[in-house]
Amino acid sequence: MIHAIILPVATGFILFLLGMKLMETSLQTWAGPRLQLWLERFTRTPVRGLITGTVLTAALQSSTAITVIAIGLVGAGVLSFPRTLGVILGTNIGTCLTTELIGLSLGGIGVPILIASASVWLASWLAGPLPQASEPRSNAAHAGAALPQTAVHDGGRQWLRSVRYGSLAAAGFSLVLLGIKIMQTIGPALQSRGLFAWFVHQAQTSLLWGILAGAAVTALVHSSAAVIAMAMSLAATGAIPVELGVAITIGANVGTCVTAVIAGMSSSRAGRYVAWSHVLLNVGGAILFYPFIHWLVSLSALLANDAASQIARSQTIFNIVGSLIALPLCYLSMWKRLEFRSQ
């Protein structure tokens, strides 16, 4: 059991988390302080906030990072609570990019991507040190001072920063693919274990088992993408049915709220409102979709052939439909009154 299940799962899971963290950290480092500037500038309305949250989450591969930044900005008084509602909806949509890429079954190109990205990263060091991160243009203009000659020179070398951190992000993605490929090898061993067969049988009786399992494991590992990837790997090998994989995915969306709640504990009351609005969105979506999981699977089967891709499509449909249903609620005047009482 150790060699057939535990070791491959542990190795693949560690590689997956390492790849996700490397990808997230490199992209966030590259974006730098511009993240706050983008959130401040493009969240005037819930629709603009939704678009901004979607784009930033898809680019940085971390809905948690955007949510935590939004909580911090609200706590600091930079953003108002109503302006973050659209951002929260957008993070759920943007995070679907990860599962869609995983659903493409690109495990075979993980090693070539890793070799290529590592080569580019090493070559970038031959071009010299990284330039200093340039200030946002608005800050420089506000200061009323001319840019130093070194800053102008560094501005022409910003491509080096993009190349270096972009290659690191690609290396992280290759580790994600390799981790998934390793986890997929445990399918036959799991099918021969009676305990796992019992769990699958119980989940077929009530898919609530799958939702609870997805929420609990995601809350422990603080990565919905990792849990969803494992569900996709198991479904791809036939170890679990697609319906159970979709239930685990919906549960993972609920479990990922734990990080936002933890971040909100140390924030202001308005910051806690942001965290709990994230919880209400995902829990409400899970309750709404639970009776229709079989229909969701049937719809995703029309859009994809293999099991892993069907789970990815279900995740995308779940998040997009849930966010669009909740979007009109962001325009209610009660949110402004709620924020006024929290001040």
Side-chain angles (χ1 to χ4, degrees):
M1 181 174 176
I2 293 178
H3 294 287
I5 297 179
I6 297 178
L7 189 59
V9 168
T11 304
F13 203 69
I14 290 172
L15 279 177
F16 187 97
L17 290 178
L18 179 62
M20 286 295 296
K21 181 56 64 176
L22 178 61
M23 189 163 50
E24 175 186 334
T25 303
S26 58
L27 290 172
Q28 287 186 47
T29 304
W30 170 75
R34 286 174 289 185
L35 272 177
Q36 295 188 13
L37 183 65
W38 292 334
L39 283 174
E40 293 171 25
R41 182 177 297 176
F42 300 114
T43 57
R44 304 292 182 186
T45 65
V47 170
R48 293 178 66 178
L50 183 145
I51 295 173
T52 302
T54 299
V55 172
L56 290 180
T57 303
L60 299 182
Q61 293 293 290
S62 176
S63 60
T64 300
I66 303 301
T67 302
V68 170
I69 289 173
I71 291 173
L73 292 177
V74 170
V78 177
L79 288 181
S80 63
F81 166 61
R83 286 176 61 180
T84 63
L85 293 175
V87 176
I88 298 301
L89 297 178
T91 58
N92 278 9
I93 298 176
T95 195
C96 296
L97 178 63
T98 304
T99 51
E100 288 291 346
L101 290 174
I102 294 172
L104 295 177
S105 301
L106 302 175
I109 63 173
V111 174
I113 292 178
L114 180 61
I115 295 174
S117 57
S119 300
V120 172
W121 181 77
L122 290 173
S124 70
W125 286 94
L126 299 178
L130 288 177
Q132 293 183 350
S134 58
E135 278 190 86
R137 192 176 298 275
S138 58
N139 292 349
H142 180 71
L147 290 173
Q149 192 66 29
T150 55
V152 175
H153 175 70
D154 283 348
R157 287 169 52 83
Q158 288 298 325
W159 62 269
L160 182 58
R161 177 180 295 273
S162 299
V163 168
R164 186 167 299 177
Y165 288 118
S167 60
L168 279 178
F173 182 64
S174 68
L175 292 178
V176 167
L177 297 179
L178 290 174
I180 292 171
K181 192 173 183 65
I182 293 173
M183 285 190 290
Q184 286 179 340
T185 62
I186 68 172
L190 280 177
Q191 288 178 325
S192 63
R193 294 303 190 276
L195 181 61
F196 189 79
W198 176 86
F199 173 78
V200 172
H201 175 72
Q202 292 297 116
Q204 288 175 339
T205 303
S206 175
L207 290 175
L208 186 60
W209 283 77
I211 293 178
L212 294 176
V217 176
T218 302
L220 289 174
V221 302
H222 295 279
S223 175
S224 61
V227 176
I228 295 172
M230 182 175 292
M232 293 169 67
S233 300
L234 294 174
T237 59
I240 63 173
V242 176
E243 288 83 359
L244 178 55
V246 172
I248 292 173
T249 297
I250 293 176
N253 281 272
V254 176
T256 194
C257 299
V258 171
T259 307
V261 172
I262 293 174
M265 288 180 179
S266 59
S267 183
S268 64
R269 181 177 295 182
R272 290 193 292 272
Y273 286 161
V274 176
W276 285 110
S277 66
H278 191 202
V279 175
L280 288 175
L281 169 67
N282 288 336
V283 172
I287 294 173
L288 178 65
F289 274 83
Y290 175 68
F292 307 106
I293 288 180
H294 295 291
W295 292 1
L296 183 59
V297 172
S298 299
L299 178 59
S300 64
L302 298 176
L303 303 175
N305 296 322
D306 60 285
S309 297
Q310 289 174 20
I311 294 176
R313 299 296 182 279
S314 298
Q315 155 87 342
T316 301
I317 295 170
F318 168 73
N319 282 327
I320 291 178
V321 173
S323 295
L324 292 180
I325 290 175
L327 182 60
L329 301 178
C330 298
Y331 287 90
L332 296 177
S333 58
M334 60 174 288
W335 304 121
K336 293 183 180 180
R337 294 197 300 268
L338 187 64
E339 181 184 36
F340 178 77
R341 291 176 184 174
S342 67
Q343 292 175 348

